[in-house]
Amino acid sequence: MAASELDKEERRGEILTWSLLASMGIIVLLGLIWILHIRKTTKKKLKKGERYIELQNEELELPSFDFSTISKATNNFAIDNKLGEGGFGPVYKGMLEDGQEIAVKRLSKTSEQGIDEFKNEVVCISKLQHRNLVKLLGCCIEKEKKMLVYEYMPNKSLDFILFDETKSRLLDWPKRFNIINGVARGLISFGGDETGAKTRRIVGTYGYMSPEYVLGGVFSIKSDVYSFGVLVLEIVSGKKNWGFSHSDHHLNLLGHAWILHKEGRSLELADTCQAVSQYLKEVLRSIHVGLLCVQQYPGDRPSMSTAIFMLENEVELPNPKRPGFFTERDLVIAESSTSKNAANSLNEVTITLLDAR
């Protein structure tokens, strides 16, 4: 082939290459424009006063409310609309313009919990959307104002009924056992790491936090198992672990349940308002599993899947060892110890009220 013909072929090849690159660039650009168009269209479909935000470093989109919308819904956070307060901050009842009732958790300026805990709650609850769990509708982040917007639960929280002498009569044993199993399966959905991790910032509810978490900042799925065990014993007895008292001793609810179990008197732990005769085996098994879950050492506690299996099947159960935080004094010492650590290592403890929705 003549040199002139070779030059022509090379030029044709170069033109073809550049044409292909240009075409690919146009396709990518059109794709980006289409994605932006879809996102813009989606945002326009939201009700007035809402928009979508992305949490940093999280593949998660959540509706965000303007502060003015939340303020109007709660009548400027009127005291009459205040539902309660915990370590995160106050919670207010509100109503959106479309008539939907909401519960707004507002991060208090004096709260020990910060932006990390705020993001953690948003991420966890968003991933745990379930018909049996309170629904997170969105959040509000405007400068120092940080709020979580939940659906309003008109029947209030479990403790509102469980620990009330009159209202607790509404919870017969089948309902209580159903709640226990529902909570257990909810923890299975959440999953977690069997191995321990460590934090320098302790945030949670006294009476439900495991010893290794309170005293050493070590937490894992076995920490959740401990909390579940406490809740099981509370549901069975209708008594709070934190603040429990008995005329014969100074043990807390966990210690009281363990002593009764050792003496073969576990049924005495059951709430007296229950007609438990036909459910005797389920009640005793639930107490036994609860005690296995609150053992002092994480390695002794069952996994959540094992706990569910033991609850739902009549199998031989191992004898539980002494619970963690056996007495109220244990909790006081733990609180004192953690407070001292806070001064030296930035450990912090937030005491909140149980709000199991």
Side-chain angles (χ1 to χ4, degrees), residues 61-284:
E61 286 192 343
L62 187 70
S64 178
F65 294 83
D66 293 326
F67 177 76
S68 58
T69 301
I70 303 301
S71 180
K72 183 178 180 181
T74 59
N75 193 20
N76 197 25
F77 304 97
I79 191 65
D80 292 341
N81 286 331
K82 189 173 181 180
L83 298 172
E85 186 161 1
F88 188 94
V91 182
Y92 297 89
K93 180 182 177 181
M95 183 178 290
L96 299 175
E97 289 183 347
D98 63 0
Q100 182 176 12
E101 291 185 312
I102 57 174
V104 181
K105 289 179 68 173
R106 187 176 189 182
L107 181 64
S108 171
K109 292 181 180 179
T110 59
S111 172
E112 298 294 348
Q113 300 189 36
I115 189 61
D116 289 338
E117 286 78 12
F118 177 85
K119 288 181 178 179
N120 183 60
E121 182 161 352
V122 170
V123 172
C124 287
I125 298 297
S126 295
K127 291 180 178 179
L128 281 174
Q129 297 294 349
H130 188 274
R131 64 187 179 88
N132 291 333
L133 295 174
V134 62
K135 185 177 181 180
L136 179 63
L137 301 177
C139 62
C140 173
I141 305 176
E142 290 189 14
K143 296 182 180 179
E144 77 284 357
K145 302 180 182 70
K146 299 175 182 66
M147 285 164 277
L148 299 174
V149 182
Y150 289 92
E151 63 176 334
Y152 176 70
M153 307 297 285
N155 291 329
K156 299 189 177 180
S157 58
L158 174 62
D159 63 315
F160 179 76
I161 299 175
L162 182 63
F163 301 134
D164 184 277
E165 191 172 338
T166 302
K167 295 184 179 67
S168 63
R169 295 172 185 171
L170 299 172
L171 296 174
D172 57 15
W173 176 249
K175 290 178 181 176
R176 296 187 190 216
F177 193 58
N178 187 48
I179 292 171
I180 289 172
N181 280 285
V183 172
R185 293 192 175 280
L187 288 172
I188 283 288
S189 300
F190 182 66
D193 192 352
E194 290 284 344
T195 60
K198 194 163 185 177
T199 180
R200 298 175 65 193
R201 186 180 180 88
I202 311 299
V203 180
T205 305
Y206 262 130
Y208 301 92
M209 294 188 291
S210 63
E212 70 273 11
Y213 179 53
V214 173
L215 297 175
V218 178
F219 63 93
S220 68
I221 190 64
K222 291 298 184 73
S223 304
D224 292 335
V225 171
Y226 181 92
S227 302
F228 171 71
V230 175
L231 187 61
V232 169
L233 296 175
E234 288 188 333
I235 290 173
V236 172
S237 66
K239 305 293 184 184
K240 292 182 181 180
N241 181 39
W242 178 262
F244 175 83
S245 62
H246 194 278
S247 57
D248 295 340
H249 54 68
H250 297 291
L251 304 177
N252 62 11
L253 180 63
L254 306 189
H256 179 60
W258 190 61
I259 293 298
L260 290 177
H261 173 78
K262 286 178 63 180
E263 296 177 353
R265 301 160 50 205
S266 286
L267 195 58
E268 294 180 23
L269 186 71
D271 195 335
T272 55
C273 73
Q274 301 176 66
V276 297
S277 56
Q278 65 187 106
Y279 306 110
L280 179 61
K281 290 183 178 180
E282 279 186 356
V283 173
L284 292 174

Side-chain angles (χ1 to χ4, degrees), residues 298-312:
D300 292 332
R301 302 170 202 153
S303 65
M304 282 310 308
S305 57
T306 301
I308 291 174
F309 180 81
M310 292 189 295
L311 283 168
E312 297 181 347

